[in-house]
């Protein structure tokens, strides 16, 4: 598979290593200053860039008929318009806030726990995410997906940074040097806590998941998620 990497930073470089080990070719890498390039040299694009570049990068892929695996977070205000554009252009698209197998299992566990806790009285929920200090968006995309999983399965209707109430899940976002990504969901009562936590030790799980998603998406059209890729 010939891959274009849109965003050649920490994730782009980790994906390059794993994709090459799996026998793929990186035919194009794009960073901030690369404005003139031909994306159609690639069978598939993988975007791990920055929030303000994601929509433009995805749009260019649809225009060129190149399916795209989108990993960049912090652009979801434009999600609905991107999905409409994908359908209009008959593009191929996967977005996941987190491509690691472990986090995708954690997403399912989180939904099941929220469903179990829904009828139980006396517990308050809060979430915490910790990432490295270069991260541009807060809360993390993964934290937003976790919050959405709780909202689908409880009486909560929204999330907010730092503050919560009966309807609102509070998410605390911490930035600490070199942390790849840690997410915790805690239910607290007067007598105990129930806590589920995912800790990424490095970026390899995210990168491997993105390459597996690209292998799955290549040659397809339509809008998909990691549940489709992993069959969970
Ligand atoms: N879904 C998932 O599983 C994961 C998602 N992420 C997300 O991926 C994104 C990237 O993370 P990470 O690699 O750590 O970040 P980095 O800052 O290390 O890399 C981002 C790269 O994007 C480049 N860039 C800037 N503008 C553009 C543009 N217009 N087109 C293409 N590339 C551009 C930057 O170039 P320059 O340095 O020249 O500015 C930089 O090399 C973030 O949004 C992060 O939240 C991260 C890990 C996992
Ligand atoms: O910026 C990061 O590094 C990460 N971003 C993603 C997110 O916003 O959830 C995924 C992972 O946690 C690492």
């Amino acid at each position: 598979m010939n891959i274009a990497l849109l965003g050649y930073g920490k994730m782009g470089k980790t994906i390059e290593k794993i994709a090459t080990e799996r026998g793929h070719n990186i035919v194009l890498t794009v960073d901030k200053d690369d404005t003139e390039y031909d994306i159609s040299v690639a069978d598939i694009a993988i975007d791990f860039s920055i929030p303000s570049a994601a929509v433009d990068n995805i749009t260019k892929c649809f225009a060129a008929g190149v399916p795209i695996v989108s990993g960049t977070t912090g652009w979801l205000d434009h999600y609905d318009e991107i999905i409409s554009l994908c359908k209009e252009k008959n593009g191929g698209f996967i977005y996941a806030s987190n491509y690691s197998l472990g986090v995708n299992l954690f997403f399912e566990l989180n939904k099941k726990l929220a469903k179990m806790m829904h009828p139980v009285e006396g517990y308050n929920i809060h979430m915490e995410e910790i990432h490295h200090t270069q991260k541009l968006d807060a809360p993390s995309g993964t934290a937003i997906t976790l919050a959405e999983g709780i909202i689908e399965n409880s009486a909560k209707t929204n999330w907010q940074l730092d503050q919560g109430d009966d309807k609102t899940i509070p998410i605390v976002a911490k930035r600490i040097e070199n942390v790849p990504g840690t997410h915790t969901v805690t239910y607290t009562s007067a007598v105990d806590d129930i806590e589920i936590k995912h800790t990424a030790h490095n970026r390899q799980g995210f990168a491997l998941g993105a390459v597996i998603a690209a292998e799955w998406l290549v040659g397809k059209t339509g809008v998909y998620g990691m549940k489709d890729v992993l069959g969970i």
Side-chain angles (χ1 to χ4, degrees):
M1 206 164 64
N2 289 331
I3 301 175
L5 295 176
L6 307 181
Y8 191 51
K10 293 184 283 300
M11 279 302 296
K13 290 187 175 82
T14 311
I15 289 168
E16 176 180 48
K17 188 168 179 298
I18 288 174
T20 306
E21 282 166 6
R22 289 172 74 91
H24 304 302
N25 308 309
I26 307 302
V27 292
L28 179 70
T29 60
V30 175
D31 259 341
K32 184 174 62 185
D33 297 328
D34 304 318
T35 46
E36 299 296 315
Y37 55 88
D38 180 10
I39 192 81
S40 68
V41 296
D43 303 315
I44 192 136
I46 304 181
D47 183 301
F48 283 78
S49 57
I50 57 171
S52 58
V55 169
D56 193 41
N57 289 344
I58 296 165
T59 304
K60 280 182 181 147
C61 290
F62 292 160
V66 176
I68 173 162
V69 171
S70 166
T72 305
T73 52
W75 62 271
L76 288 191
D77 288 355
H78 300 278
Y79 184 79
D80 290 346
E81 70 195 62
I82 283 295
I83 297 312
S84 300
L85 190 65
C86 182
K87 289 175 182 160
E88 186 191 316
K89 300 286 185 188
N90 200 25
F93 183 66
I94 293 182
Y95 167 75
S97 60
N98 198 306
Y99 280 92
S100 79
L101 173 63
V103 162
N104 281 277
L105 295 171
F106 188 67
F107 285 153
E108 297 308 306
L109 178 66
N110 170 59
K111 284 192 251 183
K112 283 202 166 64
L113 181 59
K115 202 172 195 167
M116 285 169 67
M117 296 305 290
H118 184 29
V120 180
E121 288 182 2
Y123 284 89
N124 287 317
I125 188 170
H126 66 272
M127 290 175 48
E128 181 185 86
E129 58 99 333
I130 312 174
H131 284 85
H132 54 94
T133 50
Q134 295 92 48
K135 187 160 179 60
L136 296 177
D137 52 320
S140 66
T142 305
I144 294 172
T145 306
L146 287 166
E148 286 168 349
I150 295 161
I151 289 164
E152 276 168 34
N153 290 287
S154 73
K156 300 289 183 190
T157 57
N158 58 303
W159 56 264
Q160 193 177 308
L161 269 176
D162 298 324
Q163 288 177 1
D165 58 33
D166 280 0
K167 295 280 170 201
T168 307
I169 305 161
I171 306 176
V172 171
K174 293 186 178 163
R175 296 292 171 258
I176 299 174
E177 203 77 20
N178 296 329
V179 175
T182 302
H183 293 88
T184 313
V185 180
T186 308
Y187 294 82
T188 300
S189 80
V191 294
D192 59 10
D193 285 357
I194 301 170
E195 187 165 281
I196 56 172
K197 178 176 182 180
H198 179 274
T199 307
H201 298 317
N202 51 52
R203 292 184 172 79
Q204 286 170 28
F206 313 139
L208 175 61
V211 175
I212 289 172
E215 290 167 351
W216 185 91
L217 183 66
V218 72
K220 290 191 178 73
T221 59
V223 176
Y224 305 97
M226 273 310 265
K227 274 177 81 92
D228 300 305
V229 176
L230 298 171
I232 55 175

